[in-house]
Structure formats: C-alpha cells, structure tokens
Amino acid sequence: MKDIKVGIVGLGRLGSVHAQNLAFKIPGCKLVAACSLEQKELDWAKDYLKVEYTTTDYMKMVDEADIEAVVIVSSSPEHCWMIEYALDAGKHVFTDKPLGCSLEECKRAEAAVERHPDKLFFLGFMRRYDPSYADAKAQIDAGHIGKPYLVKATGLDPEALVESCIKFSKTSGGIFIDAASHDIDLMRWFLGGEVTEVYAAGTNFKHPEFAENGDTETGMAMLKFDNGTVAFLHVGRTAPHGYHTETEIVGTEAHIRVAGVPWKDRVMVYDQYGARQEIVENFPQRFAEAYLLEMVDFIDCIQKDRKPELTVYDGTKATLVTYAITDSFHTGKPVTVKY
Ligand SMILES: NC(=O)c1ccc[n+]([C@@H]2O[C@H](COP(=O)([O-])OP(=O)(O)OC[C@H]3O[C@@H](n4cnc5c(N)ncnc54)[C@H](O)[C@@H]3O)[C@@H](O)[C@H]2O)c1
C-alpha cells in the first residue's frame, strides 16, 4: 500500500508530539507539510522532521501542498473551520479535542462531515486508545463488573506547571472546558448513556489568579445520565506530586480503577526519604502510547477505508456537556444539557 501524505497544523505542546509520531513512528504515512503561526516551530519541522513544505497559512497548505490528509492540532477555536476547509478540499481529517468551542462551531463541523461521507473524519479522544482504559472497557463489555453505574474521574495538572495554567486561564474558557472533555468522553463510553443534568462547584486556595480570571483552581461536578447512571468529576491545577489522572468505574459486581497511583514506571528508589516510586510528570508522558496508537488507527482507517468508533457527534456532545458544567459553575445551579 502506498504511504498517505499528511500535513499537520499546530506544532505546539501536543502538535509536536503528533508530528514526531507521524514523521518517525507511524507505518503507512509520510509527514510532508506543516503549518504553524510560529516560524521557529516551522524551522524545527524542516530541520528535524525533514518536512518538505512549511507555511504559516493553513489554507495555502491545504490548497498547495501534496497531501491527502490533514492533522489538526491548532488552538481549539480554530478546529471547526479548519475541519470544514480540509474536508471541502477533499482531504481526510484528524482533529484533536475539543471538536469546537460552541454548538454553532460543532454544527459547522458536523455539516462538513455529512457533506463528505467518502472522507475520513477522526476525532482525537486518545484516552480510548490508552491500553489501560481499553482494557477497562473490554472488561466492562465482557460483563466482569456487572452493570457499571458510577464513574469517578480525577484529572489534576501538576503544580510545577501552574504558571502556564494561570496564563492560559484568561482565554481557555475555564478549567472544565479545557480539562474535562476526555473524562466526559470516558464517562459516556463506560456508562453507555448521555448526560442529562450537571451540577458544578469550584474552589481556590493556592492561586487567587484563577478566580481573578473567572476560572477556578479546583473544580468538581456531578453528572446524571439518561440511563440512570451517575458520575463525579474532580479537576485541578495544583497536584504537588505530578500529573494525576485516575478513573474508577463502579459496577454492581466489581470496581475497576485505572491508574489509582499514576506510576511513571516500575522503578523503586531507596534513599534518605525511604522507598519511593516516581509518578508521571505531564500528559505527553502519561499518554505517549495512546497518542501513538490513535494516529496509527487514523492512518489505518484511511488505508483500509474504515470508519473509527468515535464520530463527530461524540465531539459535539462532549463539548455541550463541558459548557453545561461551566454554566452550572458560574450560576451555582443545576443545568439541564440540551442537545
Ligand atoms: N488530547 C489531549 O490530551 C490534548 C492535550 C493538549 C492539548 N490538546 C488540544 O490540542 C490543541 C493544541 O493544544 P497545544 O497545547 O498544543 O497548544 P499550543 O498553544 O502549544 O500550540 C498551538 C499551535 O497551533 C498553531 N496555530 C494556532 N492557530 C493557528 C492558525 N490559525 N494557523 C496556523 N497555526 C495555528 C500555533 O502556531 C501552535 O503551533 C488544543 O485544541 C488543545 O485542546 C489536546
């Protein structure tokens, strides 16, 4: 089979991870074009990744570069128009989460996907590709925990990175929009229902800047689903020990915990502090395998003319739920999710 020629837009924190995977690790593809607003990122793509075509102009890349597929890892408000532009130009599209930043944007992406059923649209909720989450899902589907009825999800960024989170909080739309969409996706996946109502709260004890920016340092939410199941979300910015993602799925017969302690590896250090294990420091480290496996699947879907499990509608639903949670946080009242 011939290699799929790919162009990427966005070479920042996550785009650089996807770009390296595409350039060096994914079978069946060739990264030939890259787009970013940052010239030094483009220089890196040319020099290190050996990308032939670079530009700061996304439309130009889609129109001019010799590519069959586009990988979108630009800032979230850019996703939907970029999806539409690439699909209308006849390209296959991978986009990272979130699908969009408003219902209108998501509907624009949905319409573009519906206009081009012959093109692949792939939504990057990579946690579904993480081997531990995939194992949890397989055990649930096999009936090992009975009926799953409660998910408890924790997602905490490390205190070591708090300065960038404070800076980002002015424009991110808030912690729930920025950090909760993966957990919402997993909750829908594990519980097999749609969120009907949410209630959220937040608190700020270390960094008043979050509250000054209209955001919160720690957020929690309760979610009710249309099949009677429930979920609890805890997101935060100040984990002293590292990047802490933990999920518990409670069923009628058993519980499953994913990353109860997010160990970095199996090394134990014996020193003056005792015997200790390190934990993962950031999301690229924790989910390195998931980012790789989702991109392998994207290319494989194109090669084999196959559709992935996740659809554009999953992206719209996750976005709507994060906005409903944000509404509830600001109003202090339960919010019904309207689809
Ligand atoms: N799946 C995950 O776990 C995960 C993790 C982090 C970020 N993300 C998502 O990935 C996206 C990027 O996040 P990031 O942290 O890498 O951001 P970043 O700010 O580090 O990088 C953004 C990149 O997009 C480029 N860009 C922005 N607007 C552009 C435009 N109009 N034309 C061309 N290039 C443009 C910038 O030049 C930069 O290269 C966001 O949507 C974010 O939500 C997902």
Side-chain angles (χ1 to χ4, degrees):
M1 245 179 259
K2 73 176 180 56
D3 281 351
I4 304 295
K5 291 182 191 159
V6 181
I8 189 168
V9 56
L11 294 169
R13 279 188 318 163
L14 183 59
S16 57
V17 174
H18 284 317
Q20 290 179 78
N21 284 341
L22 287 160
F24 303 130
K25 297 185 183 165
I26 314 267
C29 76
K30 192 166 186 308
L31 183 66
V32 297
C35 174
S36 165
L37 300 177
E38 303 290 331
Q39 189 54 49
K40 70 173 186 310
E41 293 178 354
L42 295 176
D43 293 342
W44 170 78
K46 248 194 160 81
D47 299 342
Y48 179 62
L49 305 179
K50 308 294 178 213
V51 168
E52 296 153 12
Y53 181 101
T54 60
T55 177
T56 54
D57 184 335
Y58 174 71
M59 292 187 187
K60 219 168 139 200
M61 178 179 84
V62 173
D63 294 341
E64 285 183 0
D66 180 18
I67 54 176
E68 298 148 89
V70 175
V71 169
I72 300 172
V73 210
S74 53
S75 320
S76 306
E78 310 290 323
H79 290 184
C80 288
W81 78 264
M82 288 183 169
I83 292 167
E84 182 182 52
Y85 195 80
L87 284 170
D88 283 345
K91 314 293 177 191
H92 302 291
V93 170
F94 170 103
T95 186
D96 219 289
K97 70 84 195 165
L99 175 64
C101 293
S102 67
L103 180 59
E104 293 68 36
E105 283 182 16
C106 292
K107 291 284 169 197
R108 187 173 171 183
E110 283 183 8
V113 172
E114 286 161 7
R115 272 200 302 282
H116 301 286
D118 55 321
K119 293 294 156 205
L120 178 69
F121 175 76
F122 195 105
L123 181 62
F125 275 129
M126 87 301 173
R127 284 196 198 172
R128 293 195 187 201
Y129 290 85
D130 175 71
S132 301
Y133 284 114
D135 184 12
K137 174 68 172 159
Q139 302 234 16
I140 291 167
D141 288 351
H144 290 160
I145 70 165
K147 166 74 187 155
Y149 62 86
L150 165 66
V151 170
K152 293 191 263 179
T154 302
L156 309 176
D157 282 323
E159 172 75 32
L161 299 179
V162 76
E163 285 312 320
S164 70
C165 289
I166 290 170
K167 201 167 140 213
F168 192 48
S169 70
K170 284 186 195 144
T171 53
S172 69
I175 192 168
F176 297 109
I177 289 167
D178 178 43
S181 63
H182 288 297
D183 290 311
I184 308 296
D185 179 57
L186 288 180
M187 288 167 180
R188 293 179 60 245
W189 200 41
F190 291 140
L191 294 173
E194 296 302 345
V195 183
T196 52
E197 193 181 353
V198 298
Y199 176 63
T203 189
N204 237 84
F205 276 95
K206 282 190 95 171
H207 303 283
E209 298 94 320
F210 284 110
E212 286 158 22
N213 291 344
D215 197 2
T216 185
E217 183 180 88
T218 295
M220 57 78 65
M222 291 200 302
L223 300 86
K224 287 187 190 168
F225 288 71
D226 59 359
N227 58 1
T229 62
V230 288
F232 177 80
L233 171 79
H234 169 200
V235 284
R237 303 296 199 190
T238 57
H241 49 301
Y243 177 67
H244 190 129
T245 305
E246 178 182 347
T247 310
E248 183 173 4
I249 307 117
V250 182
T252 50
E253 310 303 324
H255 298 201
I256 288 178
R257 268 194 181 194
V258 179
V261 182
W263 304 122
K264 181 175 167 191
D265 53 28
R266 295 180 190 192
V267 171
M268 179 76 81
V269 179
Y270 300 84
D271 61 12
Q272 70 269 38
Y273 303 110
R276 58 182 177 81
Q277 271 178 283
E278 293 182 352
I279 77 159
V280 289
E281 290 165 20
N282 49 44
F283 67 82
Q285 209 178 68
R286 167 63 182 88
F287 289 111
E289 218 173 343
Y291 291 122
L292 184 66
L293 291 174
E294 70 172 349
M295 205 57 81
V296 167
D297 199 37
F298 173 58
I299 298 300
D300 193 62
C301 279
I302 301 176
Q303 294 277 24
K304 299 193 175 136
D305 196 15
R306 183 168 67 71
K307 296 281 183 202
E309 174 186 40
L310 275 157
T311 68
V312 68
Y313 309 105
D314 291 304
T316 305
K317 284 175 185 158
T319 295
L320 285 177
V321 175
T322 56
Y323 273 81
I325 292 174
T326 304
D327 257 12
S328 174
F329 164 65
H330 286 303
T331 60
K333 298 202 167 86
V335 170
T336 302
V337 184
K338 295 196 187 74
Y339 293 100

